[in-house]
Amino acid sequence: LVGFWPPDNLQGTKKLIYDCYAVLSFMFLQGVYLLAQIADLIVIWGDLPLMTATSFILFTNLAQAVKFINLAVKNKMIRRIVNDCDQVLGNVQTEEAKRIVRRCDKDTTVQLVAFFSLTLFTITGFATSAERGHLPLRAWYPYDTSKSPTYELTFVHQVYALFVSAFLNVAKDTMVTTLIAQCHCQLKLIGLSLRTLGKDLEVDKSHLLSPKQGELIRSRLHKCAMQHQRALDVAQQLQLCFSEPTFAQFNVSRIIICVSAFQLVSATNNMVRLVSMGTYLVNMCFQVFLYCYNGNQLSEESSDISVAAYFSPWHTMSPSIRRELIIIMVRSKRIARITAGGFTTLSLASFMAIIKASYSLFTLLKQVNDGD
Amino acid sequence: MMTKVKTQGLVTDLMPNIKLMQAAGHFLFNYHSDNSGMSMLLRKVYSSVHAVLIVVNYVCMAINMAQYSDEVNELTANTITVLFFAHSVIKLLFFALNSKSFYRTLAIWNQSNSHPLFTESDARYHQLALTKMRRLLYCICGVTVLSVASWVTLTFFGESVRFIANKETNETMTEPAPRLPLKAWYPFNTMSGTMYIAAFALQIYWLLFSMAIANLLDVMFCSWLIFACEQLQHLKAIMKPLMELSASLDTYRPNTAELFRASSTEKSEKVPDPVDLDIRGIYSTQQDFGITLRGAGGKLQTFGQPTPNNPNGLTQKQEMLARSAIKYWVERHKHVVRLVASIGDTYGTALLFHMLISTITLTLLAYQATKIDGVNVYAFSTLGYLTYTLGQVFHFCIFGNRLIEESSSVMEAAYSCQWYDGSEEAKTFVQIVCQQCQKAMSISGAKFFTVSLDLFASVLGAVVTYFMVLVQLK
């Protein structure tokens, strides 16, 4: 809609026009905003409460800008991942597999809806919390904003930019997290097919499979191994595509959470503002949580492949088939992780670490402020 | 005459625990012998009455806390008490909401496989588990009763006052308060008279039941872990005979004459009679059982004529015996893995809540502990709270740790048997088991942390550090 995801069939000059539109849109939404806020920051340097008031939106927008750039650059690769995932998940056959896909789908939808509604709530709170004659968010403009019609124009620009960029943010984040969740779903399906390796095969009293049954199991196992390779490949590509923006997001989130908490504590007398700051804080935490939760699910599921292989009726298989199973188990010992810039893996433990780091920054900020 | 309810598996083992939980007012409605509508209704009413009383008293305590929140010391003390009993309310609610998954976990062990060679070992470890579970239950019940008794006794010492902050002079004064075990707001005057006795009795009942509710649920969790650990011990114990059984595929040779006699009879029947392949049939001969009677197992290489179907030198019956034993081992291990997964799913969130509340409680207690100035009621109550809270955390950490150790030592047991004498099948069996058991089975608190002694150590370390820092700041 806003120029960032060109439809598949744009070619040639049309594409160029679309790209220009994208750049313009970006400038209008983000660029103006960023510049204004950075200028404001420079003007009020040293006054902590005011600084925090400006910076909490500024940093979010910075992170967004990074993500936009990343999206534009890695467009093709991302598109390919999306298509591949769609294909794999759409081809499931058995009832059990369909149920797994449906449940994963429901999980991601719930996350999306929660994130969306939180954002909606926060933004509405912000927009309506503006005091008479003041703009909702602090920024420095080269003209005087208290006179109308400049006041009205700037107000409208801020509100519009706020809404659209917030929803874009939601969309971008949920795209990444949903892709990770889809990879997790793929691995779950592989686990299912490993567990039911001996489905519909009657084992006779010698507790050993007949050679013909053994061949059938072997072909099923080979299919599983190929699927496993493909899923791990997808995880690798996700890592390549989204590692840097996630790193930027995490660093920014640390600062944002601490700054929003500070804003919340040095409360203004505006009730709506207080509530919307609170929900903003929750929103930011939820954003980071979404990434970490999905990354954690992916890692866990990749190590569960080994358990799924163990749950297959391997004691009925001949040693040569067992050895193939062992190779799969050995590979799944090394978990598939998504890292943020190579520094932190996406996991619930790193989520706790981010919260702790923000909290320490917050206490530090409070100390510095109280000391002044 | 009430018929004895037919229970199996874990439910039979945990029956005393279950009965106590039903008595304490948990919403546990299965496992009664008499399931008619009337008694079901009565039980539901019983549980609801308990729940209502507990929650109402808890709310009264919270109101009291809000009322007297001006003075810091009073506020801290009240907050600690409120948090302390939050465990009970949360566990009561948690069980009521999650009773289905509790029933599912209890039912997991209803059908377990068996093997004639290993029944004796199975029974022995089952008995061990049972003894340990009973002992734990008695111990925790004793501790609960003791705590309630000491709490009530402590109420009668010291001054029965509460601290109020004087708004003008900004110093703390004392105001007389009712001598009750817990500070709570009641709509009637409890300073003296019949109301005082009624409130006292209510509080004793409340103390006993809420502590029992929280502790019994923890005991159930730990009993499950004990059971899983003893099953793992059983599996480790039968690993050696199992390996000898399949090592016999190459090297077992009990008695030359016996072997020749056996092989001559086996050679005559190319295809064994299908009816005879029943497990009982396989183990009917002395020779087949000779392996277990043999203790150390034969180590002589058999150079007798190889039977036509098996190049390993073993009769078909012995091969099937070895395979069925491996199948028993693997199925039993998978069953234990399923049990542990179910335990983790059922109780993980409760552990998360418990740890969250305990962390906050312990932080406040560390602060309170810096104000101890002598051997008085204050010191005893603070130390009492501290030891009880740490004890609760230690209780499930130690059993979680044991599970981790046991499950990872299965791999060592698999390696330390004589796998090099075994057949190809035995060797790949050892390989797969080693792969699977390298990663220990652990209980996680909703994936945020692992329940182990590391957790307890970090909690204890944090409390001590906090206490030291606060003492320095004074």
Side-chain angles (χ1 to χ4, degrees):
Chain A
L1 256 171
V2 198
F4 291 114
W5 193 251
D8 281 319
N9 43 15
L10 277 187
Q11 307 279 3
T13 45
K14 264 206 183 157
K15 195 155 195 311
L16 197 59
I17 298 178
Y18 197 81
D19 283 340
C20 284
Y21 170 53
V23 171
L24 257 161
S25 181
F26 179 60
M27 280 312 295
F28 182 61
L29 281 178
Q30 295 288 309
V32 171
Y33 218 40
L34 272 175
L35 289 171
Q37 289 208 312
I38 293 178
D40 190 34
L41 208 59
I42 299 173
V43 166
I44 59 173
W45 191 266
D47 186 355
L48 264 177
L50 288 178
M51 269 180 75
T52 51
T54 319
S55 45
F56 73 82
I57 290 279
L58 171 65
F59 280 113
T60 320
N61 289 339
L62 271 174
Q64 273 210 47
V66 173
K67 282 191 233 170
F68 274 145
I69 298 172
N70 181 63
L71 203 65
V73 165
K74 299 217 173 89
N75 201 340
K76 261 209 287 278
M77 195 152 60
I78 297 174
R79 220 182 265 280
R80 194 154 45 90
I81 299 178
V82 171
N83 288 337
D84 279 341
C85 273
D86 266 341
Q87 200 182 35
V88 170
L89 291 183
N91 279 347
V92 286
Q93 308 286 346
T94 64
E95 188 50 49
E96 182 75 39
K98 285 206 180 102
R99 205 182 0 201
I100 290 181
V101 174
R102 263 202 297 268
R103 190 145 54 102
C104 282
D105 206 20
K106 199 161 59 107
D107 277 343
T108 46
T109 324
V110 162
Q111 288 171 4
L112 173 67
V113 167
F115 199 21
F116 204 70
S117 38
L118 257 180
T119 316
L120 191 66
F121 193 61
T122 317
I123 295 295
T124 336
F126 270 143
T128 53
S129 72
E131 293 150 359
R132 237 5 354 230
H134 278 79
L135 292 169
L137 297 159
R138 282 190 62 92
W140 178 83
Y141 291 99
Y143 46 83
D144 186 9
T145 54
S146 44
K147 297 202 293 269
S148 69
T150 50
Y151 172 68
E152 257 81 44
L153 280 172
T154 333
F155 186 85
V156 167
H157 170 253
Q158 278 206 345
V159 172
Y160 169 71
L162 214 51
F163 265 100
V164 177
S165 51
F167 290 137
L168 277 177
N169 210 13
V170 167
K172 278 196 287 9
D173 283 331
T174 44
M175 179 178 79
V176 179
T177 51
T178 317
L179 282 175
I180 301 180
Q182 283 192 330
C183 190
H184 154 242
C185 190
Q186 280 186 358
L187 286 172
K188 246 196 157 89
L189 289 173
I190 298 172
L192 173 71
S193 38
L194 276 174
R195 253 178 250 260
T196 54
L197 216 49
K199 198 169 59 160
D200 307 328
L201 287 179
E202 284 297 317
V203 183
D204 62 13
K205 292 288 178 123
S206 69
H207 303 297
L208 203 62
L209 291 168
S210 68
K212 198 158 60 85
Q213 290 174 324
E215 281 315 305
L216 180 61
I217 292 250
R218 200 189 286 266
S219 65
R220 284 185 189 167
L221 193 60
H222 287 180
K223 248 198 298 229
C224 286
M226 285 194 286
Q227 286 171 341
H228 192 209
Q229 285 171 336
R230 236 181 290 139
L232 290 172
D233 193 40
V234 169
Q236 175 80 338
Q237 286 181 335
L238 283 176
Q239 161 79 2
L240 282 174
C241 281
F242 294 118
S243 178
E244 287 94 15
T246 320
F247 178 62
Q249 172 69 48
F250 274 17
N251 281 337
V252 160
S253 289
R254 260 182 263 251
I255 304 177
I256 288 179
I257 293 178
C258 124
V259 158
S260 332
F262 185 73
Q263 271 287 85
L264 196 64
V265 168
S266 50
T268 59
N269 39 16
N270 189 346
M271 198 58 193
V272 181
R273 185 124 186 139
L274 196 66
V275 168
S276 55
M277 277 314 292
T279 44
Y280 185 71
L281 185 63
V282 171
N283 207 357
M284 289 293 111
C285 288
F286 189 68
Q287 197 179 22
V288 181
F289 178 72
L290 220 53
Y291 275 101
C292 291
Y293 177 71
N294 281 303
N296 195 43
Q297 293 276 77
L298 181 70
S299 306
E300 294 230 331
E301 201 59 46
S302 68
S303 65
D304 270 351
I305 297 280
S306 170
V307 178
Y310 188 71
F311 269 79
S312 66
W314 56 268
H315 51 270
T316 54
M317 301 177 196
S318 73
S320 59
I321 310 182
R322 285 187 201 183
R323 261 183 234 117
E324 297 178 16
L325 208 63
I326 288 171
I327 297 182
I328 297 185
M329 286 171 88
V330 167
R331 175 57 181 91
S332 75
K333 251 202 330 209
R334 181 173 293 201
I335 55 176
R337 358 180 289 182
I338 312 271
T339 65
F343 285 94
T344 38
T345 18
L346 296 187
S347 71
L348 286 176
S350 60
F351 174 67
M352 296 307 294
I354 290 181
I355 301 288
K356 275 198 204 131
S358 310
Y359 183 67
S360 346
L361 268 177
F362 163 70
T363 38
L364 187 67
L365 213 58
K366 237 170 101 64
Q367 287 283 55
V368 168
N369 194 39
D370 287 344
D372 280 344
Chain B
M1 177 68 171
M2 253 202 312
T3 50
K4 255 193 124 34
V5 53
K6 222 157 54 90
T7 56
Q8 33 180 336
L10 269 175
V11 180
T12 328
D13 297 339
L14 287 174
M15 215 26 150
N17 198 348
I18 292 179
K19 287 272 177 261
L20 275 173
M21 279 174 70
Q22 286 168 341
H26 267 292
F27 289 88
L28 186 67
F29 299 128
N30 284 13
Y31 316 123
H32 287 283
S33 48
D34 172 21
N35 277 336
S36 67
M38 195 57 211
S39 42
M40 213 33 135
L41 187 65
L42 266 165
R43 280 178 217 128
K44 290 207 168 111
V45 167
Y46 179 74
S47 298
S48 321
V49 164
H50 275 296
V52 163
L53 277 174
I54 287 178
V55 172
V56 160
N57 203 16
Y58 188 72
V59 168
C60 290
M61 282 167 60
I63 295 179
N64 175 61
M65 177 177 91
Q67 251 185 340
Y68 295 102
S69 55
D70 298 328
E71 213 278 325
V72 172
N73 287 333
E74 187 74 15
L75 179 65
T76 325
N78 283 340
T79 318
I80 291 179
T81 317
V82 165
L83 283 174
F84 192 74
F85 287 102
H87 287 303
S88 310
V89 177
I90 288 183
K91 291 217 160 83
L92 188 65
L93 274 169
F94 183 78
F95 188 86
L97 293 171
N98 263 16
S99 34
K100 270 213 193 47
S101 57
F102 275 91
Y103 294 147
R104 195 180 37 233
T105 312
L106 282 167
I108 272 194
W109 209 266
N110 278 354
Q111 309 281 8
S112 62
N113 58 350
S114 65
H115 195 271
L117 277 179
F118 304 127
T119 41
E120 181 252 333
S121 170
D122 191 10
R124 183 155 36 104
Y125 282 101
H126 189 203
Q127 197 53 40
L128 258 175
L130 209 61
T131 336
K132 287 194 184 162
M133 291 198 271
R134 295 267 189 275
R135 219 183 290 153
L136 180 71
L137 184 64
Y138 297 149
C139 184
I140 297 290
C141 281
V143 165
T144 314
V145 171
L146 191 68
S147 329
V148 174
S150 48
W151 193 312
V152 173
T153 329
L154 209 60
T155 325
F156 291 110
F157 291 90
E159 314 175 319
S160 166
V161 294
R162 64 164 76 94
F163 293 109
I164 306 283
N166 191 338
K167 291 266 172 33
E168 285 96 62
T169 61
N170 216 21
E171 58 185 40
T172 54
M173 308 181 313
T174 58
E175 175 193 84
R179 193 178 274 277
L180 289 172
L182 297 160
K183 295 205 177 103
W185 173 86
Y186 291 113
F188 41 84
N189 183 12
T190 52
M191 283 307 283
S192 56
T194 41
M195 282 293 120
Y196 171 69
I197 302 203
F200 201 90
L202 174 72
Q203 289 204 344
I204 292 185
Y205 149 81
W206 193 85
L207 270 176
L208 186 65
F209 271 71
S210 48
M211 281 203 190
I213 282 179
N215 286 347
L216 284 173
L217 206 60
D218 278 340
V219 168
M220 177 165 271
F221 168 68
C222 295
S223 307
W224 285 338
L225 290 181
I226 292 176
F227 186 81
C229 289
E230 293 304 322
Q231 286 296 322
L232 287 169
Q233 291 265 34
H234 163 57
L235 286 173
K236 283 194 299 182
I238 63 175
M239 183 63 95
K240 230 184 174 59
L242 186 76
M243 208 41 64
E244 282 173 11
L245 203 59
S246 48
S248 70
L249 293 175
D250 278 325
T251 61
Y252 172 61
R253 189 186 165 180
N255 179 338
T256 320
E258 283 280 308
L259 180 72
F260 280 101
R261 208 175 301 136
S263 1
S264 60
T265 49
E266 279 340 310
K267 258 209 256 190
S268 58
E269 44 175 344
K270 298 283 175 157
V271 180
D273 188 0
V275 177
D276 263 349
L277 295 185
D278 169 37
I279 294 279
R280 301 260 161 239
I282 296 176
Y283 311 147
S284 54
T285 62
Q286 179 71 357
Q287 184 215 4
D288 293 328
F289 277 124
I291 297 159
T292 48
L293 292 178
R294 227 191 205 230
K299 286 186 178 52
L300 302 169
Q301 187 72 27
T302 165
F303 294 110
Q305 48 271 55
T307 48
N309 295 330
N310 312 304
N312 285 338
L314 192 66
T315 68
Q316 191 158 19
K317 269 191 178 175
Q318 280 169 321
E319 227 178 53
M320 279 193 327
L321 176 65
R323 272 198 217 113
S324 71
I326 290 186
K327 176 175 171 174
Y328 167 78
W329 198 100
V330 173
E331 293 292 327
R332 188 48 83 94
H333 191 243
K334 287 188 202 174
H335 207 173
V336 175
V337 171
R338 269 200 295 268
L339 173 67
V340 171
S342 180
I343 295 175
D345 286 336
T346 306
Y347 210 65
T349 328
L351 286 172
L352 180 67
F353 285 132
H354 190 123
M355 284 313 294
L356 274 174
I357 297 183
S358 293
T359 319
I360 307 177
T361 317
L362 284 168
T363 322
L364 289 172
L365 277 169
Y367 170 64
Q368 289 284 76
T370 57
K371 294 189 288 187
I372 292 181
D373 51 2
V375 181
N376 53 12
V377 172
Y378 180 76
F380 275 117
S381 61
T382 314
L383 284 175
Y385 272 117
L386 208 53
T387 32
Y388 194 91
T389 318
L390 283 173
Q392 275 184 324
V393 177
F394 182 72
H395 181 219
F396 52 77
C397 281
I398 197 163
F399 287 108
N401 198 57
R402 180 147 182 253
L403 178 72
I404 293 177
E405 289 190 350
E406 288 292 336
S407 59
S408 56
S409 68
V410 174
M411 179 189 104
E412 290 154 25
Y415 185 76
S416 59
C417 60
Q418 288 161 323
W419 50 268
Y420 34 79
D421 280 339
S423 62
E424 279 307 301
E425 283 188 21
K427 285 186 200 144
T428 46
F429 160 70
V430 170
Q431 194 171 5
I432 293 189
V433 165
C434 283
Q435 278 294 355
Q436 171 63 14
C437 299
Q438 240 175 355
K439 182 160 148 331
M441 292 194 277
S442 61
I443 306 283
S444 76
K447 306 217 185 68
F448 277 90
F449 56 84
T450 326
V451 175
S452 69
L453 280 178
D454 284 337
L455 180 70
F456 177 70
S458 70
V459 166
L460 189 62
V463 171
V464 170
T465 317
Y466 209 69
F467 175 71
M468 295 294 186
V469 167
L470 285 173
V471 161
Q472 289 286 48
L473 284 178
K474 271 206 173 301

